[in-house]
Amino acid sequence: MTPLSNPGKLWLGIETSCDETACAVVRGDMTVLSNPLYSQFQEHRSFGGVVPEIAARAHLEKIHPIFASAIKQAGVGLDQIGAIAFTRGPGLMGPLLVGASFARGLARDLGIPTFGVNHLEGHIAAAHLSTPGLHPPFLALTVSGGHTELMLVKPGFQYQLIGRTRDDAAGEAFDKCGKVLGLGYPAGPIVSQRASEGNRKFFKFPEGLRNDASCEFSFSGLKTAVLRYSEEHDPEFLKDNMAHICASLEEAIVSILVRKAIQALKQTEAPTLVLCGGVSANRHLRAKLGEACAKLGVAFAVPSHEFCTDNGAMIAAAAILRERAGLLEPVTEVKPWLPLA
Ligand code: KG4
Ligand code: ZN
């Protein structure tokens, strides 16, 4: 039996599925009291991607200090925390186990319950933090480093997959293409920042499955095209035109995401589009999807910037939404593979 929803109850949210160690204190009415995190990009930079063992070790080192900051910044006592939510999957096994063990140990010490949450449900819940009146049914476009999917979210946490990527995720495409262009790690925010000064029509990069009737995505061809482009042009040219190349790359990724989202909105007749996941921080994507929704007469919800990339508040928010609906299960088992549908 799930406990009754309590707007004053304090939740600790813990996120450790990949390379962010994050904790947050969130009240049952969805007020975020604190949301600190540690981003491990320094640890993984020289490898150009997340190394699971290094990530797990960094989570072990950082989880206690980040937890302590979350409590301190929230200005609450440990005895005021009523429940703990942590990410149980999908994600990397070692990092997930660090968060789960910490949550379980703390919950035992404090004599409070702990609940495992789906990371993807957390990303969607982040939109509820910024748009309190949001209610299913809606279409969710989740775009992150590991996922790109269009999901119809129905009342009662029922999920219907409308389409997902056949290969790379949108964030992965940003990161891998940016890496090829020598832009560092993670390249998504850097590409986006450079793109803001460039000409989006400078070069036409391919948009995977553009003329396909499905709502599926493919970004592997784009990666190959960027690699070929960088091999065919000398370093001086690439350097001089980097802003234009980034703008063209961003245009290709954003255009296909918007096109498929429109296709899915028409197919499902969903009244609202929710954009979420780390790539939802991308300003061009937010603007273009906002415009497309306005044209279609569809409501548009997106988390505020602090809740787009992985964070603890979104994990607490997901548990709070489930508790409100009486659908919070006391599962604590970690699952690296945990699709929503
Ligand atoms: O959701 P998230 O924090 O972690 C995963 O669950 O994967 O997403 C991280 C991804 C990375 O690929 C990162 O490059 C991308 O989100 N990202 C962006 C931007 N900010 C983060 N991509 C494009 N533009 C941005 N502004
Ligand atoms: Zn994520």
Side-chain angles (χ1 to χ4, degrees):
M1 188 67 190
T2 48
L4 287 177
S5 169
N6 173 355
K9 176 164 149 184
L10 294 184
W11 283 81
L12 177 71
I14 299 176
E15 157 59 34
T16 62
S17 66
C18 190
D19 58 346
E20 256 94 32
T21 314
C23 291
V25 177
V26 182
R27 215 162 49 203
D29 64 0
M30 291 285 205
T31 306
V32 178
L33 303 185
S34 64
N35 193 25
L37 60 83
Y38 175 78
S39 237
Q40 304 175 1
F41 56 87
Q42 300 280 19
E43 282 83 343
H44 304 292
R45 178 170 280 157
S46 61
F47 301 96
V50 179
V51 182
E53 290 75 14
I54 294 176
R57 217 170 306 145
H59 283 302
L60 263 178
E61 276 172 26
K62 298 295 178 187
I63 187 124
H64 194 273
I66 292 296
F67 155 70
S69 312
I71 297 295
K72 191 166 177 223
Q73 285 172 27
V76 300
L78 262 185
D79 57 342
Q80 290 173 265
I81 302 293
I84 302 176
F86 68 92
T87 303
R88 66 183 288 246
L92 301 168
M93 182 54 116
L96 286 170
L97 282 171
V98 175
S101 313
F102 186 81
R104 286 192 212 118
L106 186 63
R108 218 177 7 245
D109 276 358
L110 298 177
I112 57 176
T114 186
F115 302 91
V117 164
N118 186 307
H119 180 80
L120 298 167
E121 198 166 284
H123 274 305
I124 297 172
H128 289 260
L129 286 170
S130 312
T131 309
L134 183 63
H135 288 293
F138 54 76
L139 180 75
L141 171 59
T142 306
V143 272
S144 70
H147 296 86
T148 295
E149 58 190 32
L150 280 158
M151 198 67 80
L152 185 61
V153 183
K154 301 177 191 174
F157 298 91
Q158 297 295 309
Y159 296 100
Q160 182 186 337
L161 179 68
I162 306 301
R164 63 163 58 110
T165 183
R166 291 185 188 171
D167 39 57
D168 294 346
E172 199 179 353
F174 267 112
D175 294 342
K176 287 183 176 167
C177 294
K179 184 179 171 186
V180 165
L181 295 168
L183 291 176
Y185 167 84
I190 307 169
V191 169
S192 163
Q193 201 252 322
R194 298 298 313 267
S196 63
E197 303 142 23
N199 172 9
R200 301 190 182 280
K201 294 193 175 131
F202 183 71
F203 186 77
K204 187 104 188 85
F205 285 112
E207 292 170 34
L209 302 177
R210 185 182 160 83
N211 297 315
D212 187 271
S214 79
C215 292
E216 294 186 346
F217 302 90
S218 169
F219 293 101
S220 57
L222 176 62
K223 197 173 53 189
T224 311
V226 171
L227 183 62
R228 202 173 311 131
Y229 187 90
S230 69
E231 284 167 355
E232 283 167 0
H233 294 83
D234 60 64
E236 195 75 2
F237 174 91
L238 293 176
K239 189 165 169 271
D240 291 347
N241 293 289
M242 193 51 80
H244 301 317
I245 298 166
C246 287
S248 304
L249 169 60
E250 186 178 64
E251 185 62 19
I253 297 173
V254 168
S255 294
I256 197 67
L257 290 172
V258 172
R259 189 181 175 89
K260 296 284 175 161
I262 293 174
Q263 215 161 291
L265 282 167
K266 289 183 177 164
Q267 184 184 315
T268 58
E269 298 182 354
T272 304
L273 176 70
V274 168
L275 170 66
C276 60
V279 181
S280 68
N282 185 279
R283 288 178 198 282
H284 188 48
L285 177 61
R286 293 163 82 97
K288 285 288 158 188
L289 271 179
E291 280 169 26
C293 285
K295 258 190 212 153
L296 289 170
V298 164
F300 180 53
V302 59
S304 56
H305 274 89
E306 64 181 308
F307 304 130
C308 287
T309 45
D310 293 349
N311 65 88
M314 71 184 206
I315 300 306
I320 292 167
L321 289 172
R322 276 199 174 257
E323 188 186 48
R324 280 184 190 171
L327 292 169
L328 186 61
E329 303 284 338
V331 277
T332 57
E333 184 199 355
V334 159
K335 283 207 160 185
W337 170 250
L338 190 62
L340 280 178

